[in-house]
Amino acid sequence: MSKIRLLALIAFLFASFSSFAQLQGVFGLKVGANSSKTVQEGVSPYSVERFKTDFHLGGIYRLRYKRFVAQPEVLYSVKGGSLRRLGTNELTVRNNFNYLSVPILLGWVPTEGLVLQAGPEFSYALNTPESNGPGKRNDLGIAVGAHYDFLDMAEKFSLHLRYIHGLNNVSSNPVVENYNRTFQVSIIYNFYKKR
């Protein structure tokens, strides 16, 4: 099965989960900041890799059974970073990778209010190299992080801290490989009683 078909299948499953979630009250909206960079491997004139700050937004579905949590998400996420060439002809390239991302996380609850999470993140680029997008459309990453539920006055809100380690080479250049590295901080508004 191609990665595009797999991504479409995951998006369809998430839509099905979301419909069910509305009946069960387990849906949330998510917005936050990305701090990302493009890590290079191979022969490249760009010797300095720098983080860029951008945003992500989307929806999550959260299902809990005892101390275990399943959490698929659908996000619009902007990644990239800047690459700088030093020397007499200095040049900075600012990558702007716009992705539709589908993380599928599994979590464990060590104590109420805190969930430790990990899982794959499937991404499909919405822009092309002509608009500073990646050279390849598909990316696969491993996401690890934590979900924290606020209490009392802010009980409808949660906090996500996450790192996504890109596994796919997103460069079309045969002599250099590019990989995404992203840190995320997110606020979630929950349309349900957290459990």
Side-chain angles (χ1 to χ4, degrees), residues 87-127:
T88 55
N89 297 317
E90 287 193 11
L91 178 66
T92 299
V93 174
R94 293 176 174 84
N95 293 323
N96 194 50
F97 300 167
N98 301 322
Y99 284 108
L100 175 66
S101 297
V102 181
I104 302 177
L105 303 180
L106 298 178
W108 177 66
V109 183
T111 184
E112 285 304 320
L114 178 66
V115 184
L116 303 179
Q117 299 175 315
E121 178 178 285
F122 304 91
S123 297
Y124 181 77
L126 302 175
N127 62 334

Side-chain angles (χ1 to χ4, degrees), residues 52 54 76-80 94-100 123-138 170 180:
K52 67 171 282 189
D54 226 300
Y76 174 78
S77 185
V78 183
K79 303 178 184 179
R94 293 176 174 84
N95 293 323
N96 194 50
F97 300 167
N98 301 322
Y99 284 108
L100 175 66
S123 297
Y124 181 77
L126 302 175
N127 62 334
T128 63
E130 288 72 23
S131 56
N132 291 335
K136 296 179 181 176
R137 293 279 191 179
N138 298 302
V170 297
N180 287 310

Side-chain angles (χ1 to χ4, degrees), residues 139-186:
D139 192 19
L140 170 66
I142 297 296
V144 294
H147 173 112
Y148 175 75
D149 289 326
F150 293 110
L151 304 175
D152 302 326
M153 296 292 289
E155 67 174 3
K156 285 272 189 183
F157 293 89
S158 301
L159 173 70
H160 281 179
L161 301 175
R162 186 175 298 172
Y163 170 69
I164 303 112
H165 188 89
L167 301 176
N168 284 9
N169 170 26
V170 297
S171 172
S172 57
N173 188 329
V175 298
V176 63
E177 298 181 352
N178 290 342
Y179 297 91
N180 287 310
R181 303 287 186 263
T182 307
F183 293 93
Q184 287 184 344
V185 179
S186 317

Side-chain angles (χ1 to χ4, degrees), residues 3-13:
K3 292 179 182 176
I4 295 176
R5 290 181 181 174
L6 180 60
L7 186 62
L9 175 62
I10 291 167
F12 173 76
L13 291 174

